[in-house]
Amino acid sequence: MADTVAMTQLEVADYDLGLRGKLVRSNKTRGGSALAFCTIVYGLSLTDDVTDTPFSSAANGYPDAALVPDEATRIPLPWRAGTDAVIADLVDADGRPLDLSPRAVLGTLTERYAELGLAPVLGFEYEMWIFSADAGHAPHGRTENAYSLTRCAEINCLATEFVNRMDQIGIEVEMFHAELGPGFFEFTLAPATAVTAADHAVRARQYLRDLCAERGLHASFMAKPFADKSGAGGHVHSSLDRDGANVFSDGAGGLSAEGRHYLAGLLAGMADTAVMLNPNINSYKRIDPEMFTPSSASWGYDDRGTAARVLLTDPKSARVEHRRPGADANPYIVATALLAAGLHGLREQLPLPGPDTDPPDLPGDLGTALAQFESSPWVADLLGKPFCTSFAATRRAELQRYERWLRTTITEWELHRHLEHQ
């Protein structure tokens, strides 16, 4: 019998799914072999509607760009015989990652932090829904209790396999527990430097979906599938390191100067970056302060009702939890939004408002969030015009598709209200 052909899963960051890619013979991904990927990847919706952008369109034929594997991200996939995986970046003619790529933009932001002697550290946590994969999509498990030990027992086999798989590839899942909702669970990833943390987040999400599919289940990171239940958050804890030491705290129970300016930036920039944290129509149905999803750019000490929950109990792990992002948002784009806003605060030395100050409202729908993003006086400067233009085009197209559906669909509400009564 012939030996198994070694295969590599090439993984490429997009705007919606997190990762897309293809399987390639491993020898074709090493040693400077020429690889390419279609730039349409930055114009595909969740369901593969195509949005033309100034950089990739029907007019220019959706051209390929060279694809370069980041060898630091190459890992074996022990649960798939003969297969490894590597994250790869689309690059221009000079070998530089394309400015359209959210991973490339995130990398550029970390370089700007390095110029200030700082390294952002991020820790992602995700709430998600697990259903049976049949047509009915029944929630996994019979009860809805948060932190339920019974539900932990029901999910134990799947959760343990997930944690072990991630451990085998260097991704530490710190916790996995039941949340309040049908088939609703949460996992938390150990903190890491920004790009590595985002790499871990996109892989953990993708590999959990793969594991669930193997078992006849479906893992969904949709923000709000049930109108009367909690929504799924994709909260991010962030802090700042200098020379390997956390400098977010002043060491005496308060925020350092860097911590104050960074937090002020998160708050001041939250409205301008809302479309990156909440990128879909459904994202805004999750926003509900009564369910701990903030509608304003508020902050407080260990307060889950705020958008920015500051945790200073231990100076070594001092951080802020950003609670506005939804689980449906791309980890690279969420990380980019956080670090851009924080860097804006650091560069402009923004003052931190008091925790009792009346906070400004955040956009409550995709159209408002998109308008604020495009009119921001600082976002394009930090993220670059190519990314901002391309990403905004995909959000505008998503909004237009929904509005078109709304105009042409006769809803159950309309039928119930009018058909028998008019």
Side-chain angles (χ1 to χ4, degrees):
M1 188 172 99
D3 291 338
T4 300
V5 175
M7 300 295 288
T8 292
Q9 179 170 281
L10 288 173
E11 300 174 339
V12 179
D14 74 346
Y15 290 165
D16 279 286
L17 288 180
L19 290 175
R20 293 179 185 256
K22 58 178 75 173
L23 282 173
V24 181
R25 284 177 176 262
S26 292
N27 63 329
K28 299 293 185 182
T29 70
R30 298 179 184 272
S33 297
L35 296 167
F37 207 89
C38 183
T39 53
I40 202 173
V41 69
Y42 300 124
L44 295 176
S45 75
L46 285 168
T47 55
D48 281 357
D49 308 293
V50 178
T51 299
D52 283 357
T53 73
F55 316 98
S56 185
S57 64
N60 67 7
Y62 306 106
D64 282 350
L67 190 67
V68 176
D70 180 349
E71 289 298 330
T73 69
R74 190 180 290 269
I75 53 172
L77 298 179
W79 56 91
R80 288 168 59 181
T83 305
D84 65 8
V86 66
I87 297 173
D89 295 306
L90 276 68
V91 301
D92 62 19
D94 296 322
R96 294 186 300 252
L98 290 187
D99 293 337
L100 280 65
S101 164
R103 188 171 189 262
V105 176
L106 179 59
T108 299
L109 282 175
T110 63
E111 292 171 2
R112 295 193 181 189
Y113 274 85
E115 293 169 1
L116 301 177
L118 297 169
V121 173
L122 305 179
F124 288 82
E125 57 184 42
Y126 283 103
E127 296 165 335
M128 74 290 174
W129 313 88
I130 299 180
F131 303 105
S132 65
D134 59 23
H137 278 82
H140 186 70
R142 293 184 297 276
T143 61
E144 298 186 17
N145 312 84
Y147 305 116
S148 166
L149 294 179
T150 299
R151 295 181 68 200
C152 283
E154 289 176 340
I155 202 73
N156 181 72
C157 184
L158 176 71
T160 300
E161 177 66 14
F162 173 59
V163 171
N164 285 336
R165 285 188 181 188
M166 294 306 94
D167 203 57
Q168 289 175 310
I169 60 173
I171 299 175
E172 182 181 347
V173 180
E174 294 185 325
M175 285 180 281
F176 196 111
H177 67 86
E179 269 291 348
L180 182 56
F184 200 26
F185 298 91
E186 178 179 333
F187 67 86
T188 301
L189 300 177
T193 52
V195 176
T196 297
D199 287 344
H200 287 179
V202 291
R203 281 178 154 169
R205 288 159 52 100
Q206 181 62 51
Y207 298 164
L208 176 62
R209 287 171 61 89
D210 296 346
L211 173 59
C212 286
E214 291 172 25
R215 296 179 176 231
L217 300 170
H218 172 64
S220 175
F221 293 88
M222 181 178 179
K224 188 78 169 180
F226 303 104
D228 60 342
K229 306 295 182 183
S230 298
H235 303 164
V236 184
H237 295 251
S238 60
S239 61
L240 301 171
D241 275 15
R242 177 176 286 116
D243 299 326
N246 187 317
V247 296
F248 199 72
S249 163
D250 63 6
L255 286 163
S256 66
E258 292 95 340
R260 290 195 300 274
H261 295 315
Y262 176 86
L263 176 56
L266 286 189
L267 300 171
M270 205 174 292
D272 289 358
T273 58
V275 72
M276 303 171 72
L277 310 174
N278 312 116
N280 303 304
I281 294 292
N282 180 257
S283 303
Y284 296 86
K285 296 185 178 181
R286 166 180 163 262
I287 307 305
D288 183 352
E290 292 187 4
M291 292 188 176
F292 303 102
T293 307
S295 60
S296 62
S298 55
W299 76 279
Y301 295 104
D302 198 8
D303 184 350
R304 284 181 169 84
T306 61
R309 175 187 173 220
V310 176
L311 299 162
L312 297 176
T313 303
D314 180 0
K316 293 181 181 178
S317 61
R319 63 197 186 278
V320 55
E321 178 190 15
H322 200 316
R323 297 179 58 82
R324 177 72 181 207
D328 57 332
N330 181 311
Y332 291 116
I333 293 178
V334 170
T336 296
L338 265 66
L339 296 196
L343 184 60
H344 176 59
L346 287 162
R347 284 173 48 167
E348 300 299 322
Q349 301 275 288
L350 295 181
L352 178 64
D356 297 325
T357 303
D358 191 25
D361 289 337
L362 296 173
D365 61 84
L366 183 58
T368 302
L370 175 60
Q372 187 126 1
F373 175 79
E374 293 190 291
S375 64
S376 170
W378 60 272
V379 166
D381 174 55
L382 289 184
L383 303 186
K385 187 175 180 180
F387 169 78
C388 290
T389 302
S390 181
F391 180 68
T394 66
R395 298 309 97 195
R396 183 174 299 104
E398 188 73 2
L399 180 61
Q400 290 169 347
R401 291 181 193 112
Y402 176 71
E403 290 173 341
R404 187 182 311 120
W405 176 87
L406 207 56
R407 287 195 305 271
T408 58
T409 299
I410 309 304
T411 65
E412 286 297 321
W413 186 89
E414 292 169 280
L415 290 172
H416 174 75
R417 192 170 186 87
H418 299 288
L419 190 63
E420 292 290 338
H421 301 93
Q422 285 187 320

